[in-house]
């Protein structure tokens, strides 16, 4: 599957710092960062805007055929932006409303099938750090390194709140925690490719780690691959 490069898979619960860590690790290594959660969020946004019901198989299939997701680096902000059919939706997909529907949408087998095919395609270009829920278990079971991140729910809710507040969105801490826990529950119990630690994944609990320590731990695991 991974024809041309090294794959680092970072899976784990919602809000434990996977994306920020994966992004920083990719930057240090010069690998491409692929945020698979952003892909499911973009699909969810499309469904919300077009009133696509998850119960309407035909409408879901039609919508999926019309959705194109790309990642482009914004040279000014120095960060990867998510594009849905050519529109930068990076901010919109992080909003609470999308978070409230994304697990339901991403549990649909046809949605997963479509996204996984794109994720495998994206990794053909070279080495990648990919974060999500099923990367080490399903998308790239042969990844060179699999990390499973976790953190205590209270810590995760605090971090997510800080992120949203920084973006000007004001959401109640209890509502954030509820959303994270509901998503974990749906993501871990869905039938197709549930969130699960791969047997050969290395677990990192980030509850008491600083961001710098998280990144360092993953980089030292990468280093061990070549030692
Ligand atoms: O990583 P995130 O919190 O932005 O992901 C949003 C949702 O997308 C998550 O609650 C479940 C879904 N997801 C998934 O099902 N599989 C992935 N590989 C990544 C995300």
């Amino acid at each position: 599957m991974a024809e041309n490069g090294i794959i680092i898979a970072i899976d784990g619960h919602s809000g434990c710092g996977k994306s920020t860590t994966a992004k920083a690790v990719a930057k240090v290594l010069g690998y491409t960062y692929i945020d698979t959660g952003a892909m499911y969020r973009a699909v969810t946004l499309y469904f919300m805007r077009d009133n696509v019901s998850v119960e309407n198989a035909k409408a879901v299939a039609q919508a999926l055929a019309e959705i194109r997701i790309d990642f482009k680096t914004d040279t000014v902000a120095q960060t990867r932006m998510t594009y849905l059919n050519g529109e930068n939706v990076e901010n919109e997909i992080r909003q609470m409303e999308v978070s409230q529907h994304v697990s339901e949408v991403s549990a649909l087998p046809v949605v997963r099938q479509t996204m996984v095919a794109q994720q495998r395609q994206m990794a053909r270009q070279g080495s990648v750090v990919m974060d999500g829920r099923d990367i080490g278990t399903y998308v790239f079971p042969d990844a060179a390194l699999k990390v499973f991140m976790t953190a205590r729910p209270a810590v995760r809710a605090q971090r997510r709140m800080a992120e949203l507040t920084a973006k000007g969105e004001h959401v109640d801490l209890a509502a954030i925690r509820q959303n994270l826990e509901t998503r974990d529950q749906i993501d871990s119990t869905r039938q197709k490719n549930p969130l699960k630690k791969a047997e050969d994944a290395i677990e990192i609990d980030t509850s008491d780690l600083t961001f710098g320590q998280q990144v360092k731990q993953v980089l030292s695991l990468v280093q061990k691959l070549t030692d």
Side-chain angles (χ1 to χ4, degrees):
M1 266 181 272
E3 287 162 15
N4 298 313
I6 293 169
I7 306 233
I8 297 174
I10 304 188
D11 289 302
H13 297 103
S14 297
C16 58
K18 292 184 307 291
S19 299
T20 42
T21 306
K23 201 182 292 178
V25 166
K27 195 167 179 194
V28 172
L29 298 172
Y31 291 7
T32 300
Y33 165 56
I34 300 170
D35 178 351
T36 63
M39 299 171 74
Y40 291 100
R41 285 172 179 273
V43 172
T44 304
L45 179 65
Y46 186 99
F47 281 20
M48 284 165 57
R49 284 178 173 174
D50 267 38
N51 290 316
V52 176
S53 159
V54 292
E55 272 139 39
N56 185 340
K58 199 170 160 208
V60 166
Q62 258 171 13
L64 286 170
E66 280 160 22
I67 292 175
R68 206 189 68 244
I69 299 167
D70 307 290
F71 294 109
K72 289 182 207 159
T73 302
D74 179 314
T75 43
V76 180
Q78 281 288 306
T79 180
R80 296 268 281 176
M81 298 285 179
T82 311
Y83 283 76
L84 171 61
N85 293 340
E87 174 192 352
N88 183 341
V89 291
E90 185 59 34
N91 283 333
E92 217 172 328
I93 59 168
R94 310 288 166 194
Q95 288 172 357
M96 241 340 228
E97 221 191 320
V98 173
S99 300
Q100 272 156 355
H101 293 97
V102 66
S103 286
E104 190 189 20
V105 171
S106 57
L108 293 177
V110 65
V111 170
R112 305 207 66 77
Q113 215 175 316
T114 311
M115 291 303 110
V116 169
Q118 291 184 18
Q119 289 153 14
R120 289 180 176 155
Q121 186 62 36
M122 285 173 179
R124 291 227 164 85
Q125 330 291 331
S127 295
V128 300
V129 181
M130 193 176 276
D131 88 279
R133 304 293 187 287
D134 59 344
I135 312 306
T137 52
Y138 186 76
V139 185
F140 289 110
D142 298 328
L145 173 66
K146 300 179 188 178
V147 174
F148 190 84
M149 281 197 171
T150 182
R152 292 189 295 273
V155 175
R156 296 194 271 136
Q158 283 285 0
R159 288 183 185 158
R160 184 49 57 92
M161 171 121 151
E163 259 173 42
L164 290 172
T165 306
K167 286 182 182 163
E169 206 182 329
H170 298 291
V171 190
D172 179 50
L173 184 64
I176 293 176
R177 183 164 170 172
Q178 175 69 52
N179 172 257
L180 294 177
E181 292 185 330
T182 305
R183 281 203 283 140
D184 285 347
Q185 160 71 14
I186 303 175
D187 297 345
S188 322
T189 54
R190 67 177 173 233
Q191 287 211 313
K192 193 160 167 58
N193 320 341
L195 163 65
K196 196 172 78 184
K197 178 176 173 282
E199 272 175 25
D200 50 349
I202 296 160
E203 187 163 335
I204 301 180
D205 184 333
T206 67
S207 304
D208 301 309
L209 298 180
T210 63
F211 174 63
Q213 288 169 330
Q214 272 164 228
V215 174
K216 220 167 144 189
Q217 281 208 7
V218 178
L219 285 172
S220 72
L221 292 172
V222 177
Q223 182 65 43
K224 280 192 196 144
L225 295 174
T226 50
D227 280 352

